[in-house]
């Protein structure tokens, strides 16, 4: 006697921007499609749908992830932050403000993913994580100077088809500088690690 096929749908509860959302999804549904099509959170953009452009970047447990490659069922129980949850109420996140002040966007389509990625970049740098262009990767060396080259390498997974890269680098540097002067970036897991900002 043949066994019955396993169900292809499950009820999941997603913790998004501090609020829990319960929905039934096909096991193949990506987090990106759950956000946009099921929860009407359209700030996260669908670009290539192949994990190549970074337009759909969100934060999962404070680390960046391309939501088009993340299954919704695999995100259950994790802390998800989308662009809608980056600001503190009416107070823009320093990265958002820097993007506005320095024109770190043109058409704006990639901007939500750029901002989410930049928030994580600043935290990764503060935690001392090296990049491919870091000269001294020894843990005792501490965070490397956040130069334009460091920012470009760390943000390289986010593409801007308009070519606003110069302003994006400047915006990330400014936000990192603000964070180092004022303490942790709002919503971060850091506890005051000094960061070093640099202009492009």
């Amino acid at each position: 006697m043949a066994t019955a096929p396993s169900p292809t749908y499950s009820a999941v509860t997603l913790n998004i921007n501090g609020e829990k959302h319960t929905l039934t999804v096909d096991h193949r549904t990506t987090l990106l499609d759950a956000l946009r099509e099921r929860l009407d959170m359209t700030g996260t953009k669908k670009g290539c749908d192949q994990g190549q452009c970074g337009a759909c970047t969100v934060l999962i447990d404070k680390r960046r992830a391309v939501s088009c490659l993340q299954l919704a069922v695999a995100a259950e129980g994790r802390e998800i932050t989308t662009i809608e949850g980056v600001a503190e109420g009416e107070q823009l996140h320093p990265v958002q403000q820097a993007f506005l002040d320095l024109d770190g966007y043109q058409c704006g389509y990639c901007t939500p993913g750029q901002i989410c990625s930049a928030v994580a970049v600043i935290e990764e740098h503060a935690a001392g994580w090296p990049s491919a262009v870091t000269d001294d990767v020894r843990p005792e060396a501490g965070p490397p100077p956040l130069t334009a080259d460091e920012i470009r390498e760390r943000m390289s997974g986010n593409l801007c088809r308009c070519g606003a890269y110069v302003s994006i680098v400047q915006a990330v540097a400014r936000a990192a500088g603000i964070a180092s002067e004022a303490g942790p970036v709002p919503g971060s897991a850091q506890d005051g690690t000094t960061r070093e900002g640099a202009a492009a």
Side-chain angles (χ1 to χ4, degrees):
M1 180 175 172
T3 58
S6 300
T8 59
Y9 287 80
S10 292
V12 297
T13 300
L14 301 177
N15 181 7
I16 305 168
N17 303 326
E19 295 184 11
K20 293 187 177 180
H21 303 266
T22 300
L23 63 161
T24 300
V25 296
D26 186 299
H27 295 162
R28 298 164 294 181
T29 302
T30 64
L31 178 58
L32 173 61
D33 285 339
L35 290 170
R36 291 182 57 83
E37 307 299 332
R38 302 295 306 281
L39 298 173
D40 201 29
M41 295 184 183
T42 55
T44 304
K45 304 304 183 190
K46 179 177 283 198
C48 66
D49 215 20
Q50 297 179 352
Q52 299 294 315
C53 72
C56 68
T57 301
V58 298
L59 303 178
I60 299 179
D61 294 334
K62 303 189 186 301
R63 296 183 65 176
R64 50 191 163 154
V66 283
S67 57
C68 71
L69 297 184
Q70 174 77 41
L71 293 176
V73 293
E76 186 170 29
R78 304 178 71 183
E79 180 184 341
I80 303 164
T81 304
T82 69
I83 190 64
E84 292 91 346
V86 170
E88 293 284 339
E90 296 298 315
Q91 179 67 41
L92 292 179
H93 189 284
V95 171
Q96 291 175 303
Q97 190 63 57
F99 267 70
L100 283 173
D101 293 344
L102 297 170
D103 294 327
Y105 55 88
Q106 287 187 37
C107 79
Y109 196 82
C110 72
T111 306
Q114 298 274 4
I115 288 173
C116 286
S117 190
V119 169
V121 160
I122 292 170
E123 292 306 311
E124 291 164 9
H125 172 259
W129 294 11
S131 78
V133 299
T134 301
D135 289 330
D136 190 345
V137 298
R138 295 174 302 155
E140 59 269 24
L146 195 56
T147 62
D149 283 345
E150 280 281 352
I151 293 171
R152 289 187 190 103
E153 172 61 29
R154 292 167 187 264
M155 291 290 293
S156 63
N158 292 80
L159 304 181
C160 174
R161 290 174 175 86
C162 299
Y165 296 114
V166 171
S167 296
I168 290 169
V169 170
Q170 292 172 341
V172 175
R174 176 179 289 187
I178 291 170
S180 68
E181 294 168 7
V185 175
S188 77
Q190 301 303 319
D191 58 357
T193 304
T194 302
R195 305 159 180 87
E196 190 172 340

